[in-house]
Amino acid sequence: MFKLIVSFPSEEELAGIVTMTQVTMDETASAVVDGKTILEMRALAKEVPVIDEVLQFAVKLVSGTHPELSSAPDTTKKFVKYGASPRAAQALITCAKVRALMNGNYNVSYDDIKALACPVLRHRVKTNYNAISNHLTVDDVIKEIIKEIK
């Protein structure tokens, strides 16, 4: 669902990673939650409401990554080669519901969508040469698209 950006470890951290993988360790895992609870959590997340205006914002954001659409923002037309698929909109709403719950909210907000836009879209939107030549990352482009969505 996400493409997270993880920075390269420090030399100390890298040494720890190498050392850890060079020894045989007894591997144990402890259950954090049982299957029944996971299913209950999933069911709860699905029940979080999304008002039409917020849903439309998410849909317009994903649609707004497609330069071939006449409604595409200027940023998209200038810097995007390929836009995100419908699965991006599904992921954005699903993750926004969970984020809302994690923040103690009972409905999805515009802020939930905006906060998740880069992690959800960064591997689904492909920028063009114009973006590369302007030293723009896909996150830069996504943030500009968000500003242009009405």
Side-chain angles (χ1 to χ4, degrees):
M1 244 187 235
F2 295 130
K3 178 182 178 188
L4 301 178
I5 299 188
V6 179
S7 60
F8 195 76
S10 68
E11 289 182 7
E12 182 179 316
E13 292 166 330
L14 182 56
I17 292 168
V18 171
T19 302
M20 184 175 20
T21 60
Q22 299 303 309
V23 297
T24 302
M25 298 173 15
D26 291 331
E27 296 180 19
T28 60
S30 301
V32 176
V33 67
D34 61 28
K36 180 179 181 267
T37 304
I38 289 173
L39 293 175
E40 289 170 352
M41 291 166 69
R42 182 171 70 178
L44 177 63
K46 286 185 178 204
E47 295 299 318
V48 174
V50 183
I51 63 169
D52 287 341
E53 290 83 0
V54 174
L55 176 63
Q56 285 306 310
F57 177 71
V59 167
K60 284 181 181 187
L61 175 57
V62 173
S63 295
T65 65
H66 285 266
E68 72 277 10
L69 299 179
S70 61
S71 60
D74 291 339
T75 297
T76 300
K77 291 176 182 175
K78 188 172 181 181
F79 298 118
V80 175
K81 184 169 185 170
Y82 300 113
S85 75
R87 287 183 58 212
Q90 292 171 314
L92 198 52
I93 292 299
T94 299
C95 295
K97 289 179 172 192
V98 173
R99 184 179 188 271
L101 285 175
M102 290 173 61
N103 288 329
N105 299 318
Y106 300 105
N107 62 289
V108 174
S109 70
Y110 290 102
D111 287 341
D112 294 318
I113 302 298
K114 291 174 185 177
L116 293 164
C118 288
V120 169
L121 298 175
R122 71 170 52 110
H123 65 294
R124 292 178 160 102
V125 173
K126 302 301 175 210
T127 54
N128 61 22
Y129 179 76
N130 200 21
I132 295 166
S133 67
N134 281 280
H135 307 287
L136 295 174
T137 66
V138 70
D139 284 13
D140 295 332
V141 173
I142 291 166
K143 289 173 186 173
E144 286 302 313
I145 293 170
I146 290 169
K147 289 178 187 174
E148 292 182 48
I149 298 296
K150 303 279 186 249

